[in-house]
């Protein structure tokens, strides 16, 4: 594990899979570490044959390309989450690494940076060359052992994929209807009535995926997950025009087979994505819809994203996040407010 740090912020980089692990922020006198780690990670447990590398180290934050299904025989979430990375540059607050494999013919470089006094990990993934359209996603995993409140920038619709994560009831169960669509996340169609997707958990034992499609009227895409008991807040920022959807993975004891074994609870995947996994499309891997990154030979394409963590004493739900001058302002529904230093042109 390679450590990257600046004043008040640090994380580890696992070059085996490109995992950002141990993300910790010191804010207002508190040490905040709110990313998930699966119960089998760091143990001597033997994994089932064929377990993909990203699942062996599940947690933290990792980059997916191709996201979800594979276009070139890679494991789930692509080689960027399942193949080693070679270090190109490493300083105290910055690293550059290059994926050992190509993705759709492209060379992929990862850049991760932190800065003194900033609560953010600035992430940039650059694809050089290649061809075709590819689904991509930044896959943060938030730890919610005692629940959370989920807020995000305005969405035009919320959808479930054509089929649930586990179609065999002997392997797992879901609480949402597949496929379904709603414009109201707090009244989403569930198996036993409407479900409030703005809260976690909403079911004692389930595995579900829901896709939130960004509204077209703004450029800053954001997700905020408040942990009222811990009194802290997870933040995710992106350019909404380049990553036009957020996919929420609710993993709460809904899978029964190894390594899940009915023990993987309290994990919310916040997957900021460019893809076309819409119910209205013919399949989850159809890339003809909004999003999807275009790769062109002899050209570069990039994906930028930032995650952050702060103290949030009120535990209230976030109502709005906005860019003001060289800062991000976080506004709560009951008056909570934080102003945070940010590289405001990073997401342009």
């Amino acid at each position: 594990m390679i450590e990257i740090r600046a004043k008040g912020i640090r994380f580890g980089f696992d070059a085996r899979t490109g995992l950002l692990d141990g993300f910790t922020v010191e804010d207002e006198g508190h040490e905040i570490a709110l990313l998930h780690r699966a119960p089998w990670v760091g143990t001597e447990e033997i994994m089932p044959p064929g377990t993909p590398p990203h699942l062996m180290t599940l947690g933290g934050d990792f980059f997916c390309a191709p996201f979800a299904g594979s276009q070139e025989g890679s494991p789930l979430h692509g080689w960027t989450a399942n193949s080693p990375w070679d270090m190109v540059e490493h300083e105290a607050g910055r690293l550059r690494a290059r994926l050992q494999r190509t993705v759709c013919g492209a060379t992929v470089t990862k850049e991760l940076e932190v800065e003194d006094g900033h609560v953010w990990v600035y992430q940039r993934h650059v694809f050089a060359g290649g061809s075709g359209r590819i689904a991509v996603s930044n896959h943060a995993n938030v730890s919610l052992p005692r629940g959370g409140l989920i807020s995000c920038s305005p969405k035009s619709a919320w959808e479930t994929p054509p089929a649930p994560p586990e179609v065999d009831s002997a392997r797992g169960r879901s609480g949402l209807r597949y496929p379904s669509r709603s414009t109201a996340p707090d009244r989403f169609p569930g198996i036993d009535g409407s479900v409030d997707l703005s809260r976690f958990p909403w079911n004692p034992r389930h595995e579900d995926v829901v896709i939130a499609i960004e509204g077209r009227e703004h450029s800053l895409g954001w997700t905020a997950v408040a942990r009222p008991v811990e009194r802290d807040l997870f933040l995710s920022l992106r350019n909404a025009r380049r990553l036009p959807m957020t996919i929420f993975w609710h993993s709460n004891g809904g899978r029964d087979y190894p390594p899940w074994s009915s023990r993987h609870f309290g994990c919310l995947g916040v997957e900021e994505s460019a893809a076309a996994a819409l119910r209205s499309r013919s399949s989850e891997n159809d890339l003809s819809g909004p999003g999807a990154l275009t790769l062109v030979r002899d050209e570069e394409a990039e994906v930028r994203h930032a995650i952050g963590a702060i103290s949030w004493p009120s535990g209230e739900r976030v109502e709005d996040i906005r860019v003001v001058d060289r800062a991000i302002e976080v506004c709560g529904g009951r008056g909570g407010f934080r102003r945070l230093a940010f590289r405001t042109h990073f997401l342009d």
Side-chain angles (χ1 to χ4, degrees):
M1 192 75 68
I2 300 167
E3 186 174 73
I4 309 299
R5 64 166 56 237
K7 185 177 181 180
I9 186 169
R10 66 182 185 272
F11 67 89
F13 177 69
D14 188 339
R16 295 174 298 175
T17 59
L19 177 69
L20 188 161
D21 193 25
F23 173 47
T24 304
V25 172
E26 298 171 16
D27 183 49
E28 295 190 334
H30 300 281
E31 190 167 271
I32 301 162
L34 42 58
L35 293 187
H36 176 76
R37 177 177 289 181
W40 56 84
V41 175
T43 71
E44 300 298 322
E45 181 173 340
I46 303 300
M47 292 288 102
T51 300
H54 86 272
L55 188 52
M56 294 181 183
T57 59
L58 180 65
D61 177 286
F62 53 89
F63 183 70
C64 308
F67 176 57
S70 172
Q71 297 167 246
E72 51 186 356
S74 64
L76 180 67
H77 294 330
W79 291 122
T80 55
N82 292 282
S83 177
W85 295 74
D86 293 326
M87 294 301 302
V88 175
E89 179 183 355
H90 176 213
E91 301 174 358
R94 181 174 187 265
L95 74 78
R96 293 179 65 238
R98 185 165 294 119
L99 188 67
Q100 289 186 1
R101 289 178 175 266
T102 59
V103 174
C104 295
T107 299
V108 186
T109 302
K110 179 189 296 282
E111 298 178 1
L112 304 175
E113 292 189 56
V114 292
E115 184 174 334
D116 290 350
H118 288 222
V119 301
W120 313 96
V121 178
Y122 298 96
Q123 306 189 45
R124 180 172 180 253
H125 290 86
V126 181
F127 294 75
S131 62
R133 284 167 62 77
I134 181 174
V136 296
S137 181
N138 202 89
H139 194 309
N141 300 282
V142 183
S143 177
L144 297 177
R146 291 179 283 187
L149 303 174
I150 305 165
S151 307
C152 52
S153 48
K155 310 300 180 191
S156 62
W158 298 69
E159 301 186 344
T160 46
E166 299 296 338
V167 296
D168 183 350
S169 60
R171 291 169 62 84
R173 70 212 59 79
S174 296
L176 300 179
R177 293 190 177 277
Y178 292 77
S180 290
R181 179 183 174 91
S182 176
T183 57
D186 57 344
R187 297 188 301 276
F188 197 87
I191 292 174
D192 299 316
S194 65
V195 168
D196 184 356
L197 294 175
S198 72
R199 294 181 175 271
F200 185 103
W202 45 264
N203 186 300
R205 191 175 288 270
H206 70 112
E207 192 84 12
D208 281 285
V209 173
V210 64
I211 304 154
I213 312 302
E214 199 74 17
R216 296 181 180 275
E217 66 277 8
H218 56 93
S219 59
L220 177 66
W222 57 267
T223 304
V225 184
R227 303 197 306 175
V229 176
E230 293 86 352
R231 301 202 300 176
D232 55 24
L233 185 67
F234 168 81
L235 297 166
S236 172
L237 303 181
R238 61 196 159 80
N239 184 317
R241 297 188 179 98
R242 298 186 180 185
L243 294 174
M245 60 182 66
T246 303
I247 300 175
F248 292 99
W249 170 45
H250 298 248
S251 186
N252 199 50
R255 283 177 166 145
D256 300 331
Y257 56 93
W260 310 92
S261 303
S262 305
R263 58 178 171 163
H264 190 256
F265 286 91
C267 177
L268 176 70
V270 177
E271 307 167 30
E272 309 288 20
S273 308
L278 308 181
R279 181 174 68 87
S280 57
R281 302 292 168 182
S282 60
S283 78
E284 186 172 323
N285 299 321
D286 176 19
L287 301 181
S288 60
L293 188 71
T294 300
L295 303 180
V296 178
R297 182 176 298 181
D298 299 326
E299 295 186 14
E300 288 188 350
E302 67 173 20
V303 179
R304 295 189 179 209
H305 176 249
I307 60 171
I310 60 171
S311 174
W312 192 241
S314 68
E316 67 194 271
R317 185 185 303 280
V318 170
E319 187 173 86
D320 189 27
I321 294 180
R322 58 198 180 213
V323 179
V324 179
D325 298 326
R326 296 186 178 182
I328 293 291
E329 292 186 345
V330 181
C331 307
R334 302 198 309 268
F337 178 82
R338 292 292 306 274
R339 184 179 174 90
L340 308 167
F342 186 75
R343 299 176 182 177
T344 50
H345 296 293
F346 178 76
L347 298 176
D348 291 350

